[in-house]
Every structure is written in C-alpha cells, then in structure tokens.
Amino acid sequence: MRILCTNDDGIHAPGLKIVEQIARELSDDVWVVAPELDQSGVSHSLSLNDPLRLREIGPRHFAVRGTPTDCVIMGARHILGDNGPDLVLSGVNKGRNVAEDVVYSGTIAGALEGSILGFPSFALSQEFSMDNKGVPLWQTALAHGPAILRKIIAQGVPKNTVININFPARAPEQVAGVQVTRQGKRNQGFLRVDERRDGRGNPYFWIGFERIAVVDTPAEGTDLAALAAGYVSVTPLRLDRTDDAFSQVLNTTLG
C-alpha cells in the first residue's frame, strides 16, 4: 500500500512526523508532501495565480510552497506519477478539527482533495488542552491511530467520503474508546477582531479567539461531545453538500 502524507501545519511540524509514523505502521511505502509554510485555516484553496515551488528535503520527502490541496495534487499527479497513492493521510493537526472547523481546516482540505482524486482519505487531528497546548499528547494519536485506520480500511471507505478522526487531549491509556459521530455545532461567540496599530500609527487587525465564560454543552452524538467525554471521534464527511430535504421544499416553491 502506497501512502501519501500531508498536513497544513507545515513540513517541519511535529504532527507530520506523527502521521508518518502512523503510516509506517501500515506500510513501508510512505511519501510525504507538505506545505513549505504553515497553511492553517486556508481551507480548500488552490494556487492558480502563483507558481508552485517544489523542494526535495529528503528521500520521499518534499516541500511545496503552496496549500495542502496543492500538495496532494503535486504528490498524486506529479511526484508519484502513474503509480499514485492507495491512501492519503492528512495531519496530524495540532488542535482538533471538529464542528465548523471542517470548513476552515487545511488538514480536512488535504483529505478532501485526496477523495476528489479518487483515493481513500483520512484527516487526523490531536486535541490539546490549556495544560498541554505547547506539547500536545502526540502519543495518543500514535497509540490509537493505526488500529482505527486498519479497521476502517478493511471495511472500505465509500467514494466521495472523508474520514475525520480527532484524538482527545488525554494520555493514551486514559482514552475512553472510539465513537462514530456527526459534525457538531459550536457557539461562535469566541471569535473576535483585535485592532492594533503599527509603528506609523496605521491600524491593522488580527482575527483571534478568546475563552468564553459559559461553554455550551455539546449535543450527544457529535464530535464535540465525544472529545469532551474522552473518546476518539470518527466522523465520515461527504463531499456532496446538497441539502436534499430543502431541495424538495424548493422544488415545491419554484416548481
């Protein structure tokens, strides 16, 4: 099995080393193609107006000055050529990718692009807490990831479906188990715009996050609830975003 690994945190991110270790538990044919720079939050952006610079940094390890989507395309269509990957792993992201994160996440996008190109694809993310934000518990993803992947691969991943796996901010032996979940919904009150002034007095802005006083209780069965209870969350995400129920309503309205 040939595995293509990517991420959105950059070619030198610790989580990329973890996903490569997970991949090597499954195969000895592992390739790494990741962004030259941190691409967190770029979603499924594709570089159309800028050239892609490719740099080989070691055997089967390449850096692309582009997005995670660019990396998967370069890996599958250029670097690996006719012998494309059998599997795409994106991550391991520093921080969870749940709820609305899946819309913004470059990690999710890397896996989505793999699925678009026809390969079974997984996004992997390691949640951290305020206590271990500096050094997330990477061993949790490393300890539980390979077995979960093996079971899902043996079952088979449907076309146009991405498997989003989030590991809780717990030590490996403290993980409560694995739950298959749906995408949750988070209170967006933590988003803020931070205005500052540069050396010449001109304003500039950061989109930031702040801790909210009251945290909503996540709905049962969601990725948010699973992580809060100490479970690994496994969420199948579909490429087809059509709202079938509302389509029927619109057919009546516009028919």
Side-chain angles (χ1 to χ4, degrees), residues 5-229:
C5 298
T6 193
N7 73 346
D8 72 350
D9 289 329
I11 190 68
H12 299 297
L16 186 63
K17 295 181 176 64
I18 301 300
V19 84
E20 184 178 357
Q21 290 182 58
I22 292 173
R24 293 193 183 283
E25 292 285 326
L26 308 175
S27 172
D28 59 2
D29 191 0
V30 177
W31 297 72
V32 176
V33 184
E36 182 92 47
L37 306 172
D38 188 340
Q39 295 290 309
S40 299
V42 300
S43 187
H44 208 147
S45 58
L46 178 66
S47 297
L48 297 178
N49 296 313
D50 298 301
L52 299 179
R53 305 293 182 181
L54 179 66
R55 183 167 64 94
E56 184 172 3
I57 62 173
R60 299 186 181 184
H61 286 68
F62 298 84
V64 176
R65 188 167 287 268
T67 68
T69 300
D70 298 328
C71 292
V72 173
I73 294 173
M74 287 291 289
R77 291 288 187 256
H78 178 70
I79 296 170
L80 297 182
D82 295 334
N83 299 315
D86 301 298
L87 184 72
V88 174
L89 301 181
S90 184
V92 174
N93 189 67
K94 182 182 178 182
R96 64 188 187 176
N97 276 309
V98 294
E100 294 83 3
D101 296 339
V102 303
V103 178
Y104 305 110
S105 168
T107 301
I108 301 290
L112 286 171
E113 188 60 33
S115 184
I116 288 173
L117 295 177
F119 312 117
S121 300
F122 295 76
L124 300 94
S125 302
Q126 177 61 58
E127 182 185 46
F128 57 75
S129 66
M130 295 307 295
D131 294 332
N132 56 41
K133 181 178 180 181
V135 184
L137 299 173
W138 298 115
Q139 288 301 118
T140 301
L142 188 57
H144 293 276
I148 294 171
L149 288 172
R150 285 192 190 99
K151 290 179 180 179
I152 298 174
I153 292 168
Q155 168 62 41
V157 179
K159 289 186 178 299
N160 301 320
T161 296
V162 166
I163 308 300
N164 182 29
I165 303 176
N166 283 271
F167 302 95
R170 292 191 176 190
E173 65 276 9
Q174 295 176 335
V175 172
V178 180
Q179 287 187 356
V180 178
T181 59
R182 68 181 188 275
Q183 184 181 339
K185 173 71 175 168
R186 175 194 293 122
N187 181 345
Q188 292 296 313
F190 65 93
L191 277 173
R192 62 181 172 83
V193 176
D194 185 9
E195 180 177 357
R196 303 183 186 183
R197 298 280 171 172
D198 64 20
R200 302 180 65 184
N202 298 314
Y204 67 96
F205 304 88
W206 284 106
I207 294 177
F209 308 93
E210 60 189 358
R211 301 184 69 178
I212 54 179
V214 179
V215 179
D216 293 340
T217 301
E220 286 299 316
T222 63
D223 44 18
L224 290 165
L227 289 181

